[in-house]
Amino acid sequence: MNEEILQYLWNFKKFRCFDFVSVNGKSIEILDFGEWNKNSGPDFLFAKIKIDDIIFAGNIEIHTKASDWFFHNHSGNPEFGNLILHAVYINDCDIPELENQQIPTLELKDYIDETLIQKHQNLREEHSFIPCEDLFDKDKIPLFFEEEVLLKKLDLKSESLELSLKKNQNNYEAVLFQQLAYTFGLKVNAEIFLQLAESLDFSVIQKIKQNKVQLEALLFGICNFLDEPKDEMMKVWKREFDFLKIKFNINEVRIAPKFSKLRPPNFPTIRLSQLANLYHSQPNLFSKIIEAKTIDDLYLIFENISASEYWDNHFNFGKISSVENQKLLSKDFIDLIIINAILPIKYFYQKNHNPEIVDDIFDFYKYLKSEKNSILDEWKNLGVKFENALKTQAFLYQYKTFCTQKKCLNCSIGFQLLKSPD
C-alpha cells in the first residue's frame, strides 16, 4: 500500500461502500471528494463533507498511516489550515493537532477491496484515453464541431463571469483584473492570485496605477513578501505598502503564493511584477481589449510588458541572480493570457452588449497557434489534427467535460459513432 494508490482510489471513488464512519464513531457523508492536487499542499482541494447535518467545505489530506502527518512535517504548515478531513489507510496513532481542531480522521482499510489494490497498476495501464478510443474515427467529427463546443465552453465561463460581475457591482474592469490575476498565477498559484485580486477594492488599483512602484508594493505587501526587507528596493516597497495600507484602509488579509514546482520565470514575484507593469503601462486596458478587432490588436497590448528592473537580476527578494535579463512576457504566455482571460471576457461583454457580433470571437481563436500538452497528444494519436487554438480549445473542453465524465450520449462525436453501422 502506498499513498499514490490511496489517492487514486479516492479520486475514482473505488470503495466497497460509502457509509463512512470516523475513528471517533461519527457518520461522514462525502458530498464532494474534491479536486486531486498534484502540487504542494493537501491532496484534494475544494471538497465537501457532512457531519451531524453540518456541511464543511475545504481540503482533504490522505496518508497511508496517520503517523505520516508527522513524518511529512504537516504540523503548523499554513497550507493545511483549511483541512476538513484526514483520510488514512491505517490509523496507527492519534494526531492531537487535528483532534484539537475537531478535524475527523477516516480509516479507509475496511472500505477498500484488496483486489483493487493488487490490480491498480494494471488498471492504470489499461485505462483508455477516452471511452470510445477503439471506435473513434476522425471522419465522424461533425461539421462545425469545434465552433459548437467552443461556444459551450464560453457560455459556461460566462455564467461564472456573470456571478463575478454581480459581486463586483457591475464593474467589468474589476472582473478583468481578477481574471488576469488568476491567469498570471498559472496552475500552481491561480486560485491564490484570484484570492489576492478579490481581496482588493479595484478602485485602489485605478487610483495608483500611474505609480508602478506602488502597484508592486501593494501586490507584494498583501503576499507578506515585504515583512523583512533584505535590500533597499524592498525597503522602498515596504514604505509604500505601509503608506497604502493607511491611506486606503487595506485589510489585514495576507496571501501566501507558492514557489514549489515552478520554473524561476514563473515565480509569483516575477508574475506579480509583470501584472503590476501591465496595469501601469495600459491605463485603458479594458477598453482596448473590447475595442480590439484582430488578434494583432491584442498582441500589441501585451507587447513589451515586463517585470520591473529589480527583477532583471533577481527571481526572489534579496537574492541576486548570476544571469541578468529583462523579464518580458513571452509569446507563449501572452497566448495563454489571451485564451484564458481576454477572449472569455471579450465574449462575455459582447454577449451582453452586442450579441449580433459574438461569432466574431472565432476569428481570434483561429489566428492563435495550437497549444501543446499531453491530452492533445492523445487526440493526435487518434488522427486529430490541430491547426489553431479554436480546435485545441474545443478538444480540451470536449475531453474534460464529456470524455472523462463518459457522457457519450450527449457528445456529438459519440452520437455519430453510436449510430454508425460500421
Side-chain angles (χ1 to χ4, degrees):
M1 171 56 65
N2 61 52
E3 194 169 306
E4 182 184 10
I5 295 175
L6 276 179
Q7 291 176 3
Y8 172 85
L9 295 174
W10 185 270
N11 187 62
F12 292 101
K13 306 171 183 62
K14 300 290 186 179
F15 299 105
R16 293 179 187 272
C17 67
F18 297 89
D19 299 325
F20 297 121
V21 178
S22 74
V23 296
N24 292 330
K26 293 272 191 178
S27 177
I28 301 175
E29 182 181 354
I30 311 296
L31 303 178
D32 189 329
F33 282 73
E35 296 180 10
W36 200 348
N37 176 31
K38 301 298 180 67
N39 299 304
S40 64
D43 296 316
F44 288 85
L45 309 177
F46 316 118
K48 288 183 182 179
I49 66 174
K50 182 192 285 187
I51 301 176
D52 294 335
D53 293 326
I54 300 175
I55 295 176
F56 299 87
N59 306 324
I60 294 173
E61 178 67 2
I62 291 179
H63 286 130
T64 306
K65 297 180 180 179
S67 55
D68 289 341
W69 178 268
F70 301 114
F71 293 124
H72 295 177
N73 298 314
H74 294 330
S75 293
N77 187 335
E79 286 191 317
F80 294 84
N82 193 29
L83 210 65
I84 59 172
L85 180 65
H86 188 211
V88 301
Y89 183 67
I90 296 176
N91 183 45
D92 63 334
C93 74
D94 296 330
I95 313 294
E97 178 181 357
L98 299 182
E99 291 179 354
N100 292 338
Q101 298 176 48
Q102 297 184 331
I103 297 172
T105 294
L106 172 62
E107 188 176 61
L108 296 172
K109 183 179 180 181
D110 293 337
Y111 297 93
I112 295 173
D113 185 345
E114 295 296 327
T115 59
L116 284 176
I117 298 173
Q118 297 172 8
K119 294 178 180 177
H120 176 255
Q121 292 301 328
N122 290 336
L123 282 173
R124 294 190 71 175
E125 291 172 5
E126 293 172 5
H127 181 65
S128 299
F129 167 57
I130 54 176
C132 66
E133 188 167 324
D134 293 336
L135 301 172
F136 186 84
D137 181 353
K138 62 181 177 59
D139 294 329
K140 301 295 183 183
I141 299 173
L143 193 63
F144 302 119
F145 168 79
E146 292 86 0
E147 288 85 351
E148 175 190 336
V149 173
L150 183 58
L151 278 180
K152 290 178 182 177
K153 178 177 181 177
L154 289 171
D155 284 334
L156 183 64
K157 179 65 177 178
S158 292
E159 292 178 11
S160 65
L161 290 174
E162 186 67 46
L163 294 174
S164 179
L165 187 64
K166 290 179 180 177
K167 285 198 298 184
N168 287 283
Q169 299 179 328
N170 215 38
N171 188 335
Y172 279 92
E173 293 185 274
V175 175
L176 173 63
F177 175 65
Q178 291 167 9
Q179 294 301 305
L180 283 169
Y182 182 90
T183 305
F184 269 76
L186 296 169
K187 188 174 182 179
V188 172
N189 283 309
E191 292 292 341
I192 294 171
F193 276 24
L194 177 61
Q195 185 182 358
L196 183 157
E198 290 178 339
S199 72
L200 285 169
D201 184 337
F202 183 70
S203 65
V204 177
I205 301 293
Q206 292 177 306
K207 290 172 183 175
I208 68 172
K209 61 187 176 184
Q210 292 183 332
N211 188 324
K212 183 168 63 175
V213 174
Q214 286 191 343
L215 272 175
E216 283 186 291
L218 178 63
L219 301 181
F220 292 154
I222 292 177
C223 293
N224 281 333
F225 288 153
L226 307 176
D227 290 352
E228 298 179 3
K230 299 176 181 178
D231 53 37
E232 288 303 314
M233 192 64 233
M234 287 189 71
K235 291 177 182 178
V236 172
W237 280 323
K238 178 170 172 44
R239 184 172 64 246
E240 293 295 339
F241 180 61
D242 290 341
F243 167 74
L244 294 173
K245 279 196 300 184
I246 296 171
K247 181 175 181 180
F248 296 110
N249 192 29
I250 296 172
N251 61 43
E252 291 299 320
V253 173
R254 296 293 177 265
I255 314 297
K258 300 176 183 179
F259 288 79
S260 62
K261 300 184 180 180
L262 286 173
R263 293 174 56 250
N266 290 327
F267 277 2
T269 48
I270 306 300
R271 293 308 183 193
L272 287 174
S273 180
Q274 291 169 335
L275 180 61
N277 192 43
L278 172 62
Y279 271 86
H280 171 69
S281 304
Q282 299 289 351
N284 301 310
L285 182 58
F286 181 78
S287 296
K288 286 188 176 182
I289 286 169
I290 298 304
E291 293 167 3
K293 302 298 182 185
T294 68
I295 195 66
D296 288 335
D297 292 338
L298 291 179
Y299 279 134
L300 283 174
I301 294 173
F302 298 95
E303 191 176 54
N304 298 321
I305 298 298
S306 69
S308 60
E309 291 182 9
Y310 177 87
W311 302 106
D312 288 353
N313 61 353
H314 289 77
F315 287 103
N316 212 330
F317 294 98
K319 297 180 181 179
I320 297 178
S321 171
S322 58
V323 179
E324 183 170 343
N325 64 313
Q326 190 180 17
K327 306 300 190 299
L328 286 161
L329 293 180
S330 68
K331 175 67 161 48
D332 286 344
F333 192 75
I334 293 173
D335 285 347
L336 186 73
I337 295 169
I338 292 173
I339 288 172
N340 292 328
I342 304 307
L343 294 183
I345 203 165
K346 188 175 176 68
Y347 172 82
F348 173 61
Y349 181 85
Q350 300 291 17
K351 185 178 179 181
N352 287 345
H353 294 82
N354 300 295
E356 69 278 1
I357 64 170
V358 292
D359 286 352
D360 292 351
I361 202 73
F362 295 138
D363 291 334
F364 289 92
Y365 283 97
K366 287 176 181 176
Y367 285 101
L368 282 166
K369 71 177 183 179
S370 58
E371 300 141 279
K372 296 179 180 179
N373 60 41
S374 59
I375 295 173
L376 295 173
D377 287 341
E378 293 280 4
W379 282 116
K380 289 177 184 177
N381 291 336
L382 295 176
V384 180
K385 295 182 179 180
F386 298 109
E387 299 84 12
N388 51 48
L390 172 63
K391 292 198 70 170
T392 54
Q393 281 290 291
F395 276 87
L396 286 171
Y397 181 77
Q398 180 74 9
Y399 174 75
K400 179 180 179 180
T401 308
F402 292 92
C403 301
T404 61
Q405 305 298 320
K406 297 185 178 179
K407 295 181 178 179
C408 304
L409 294 176
N410 297 321
C411 165
S412 55
I413 297 177
F415 179 77
Q416 295 294 328
L417 293 173
L418 289 170
K419 79 173 187 177
S420 172
D422 299 331

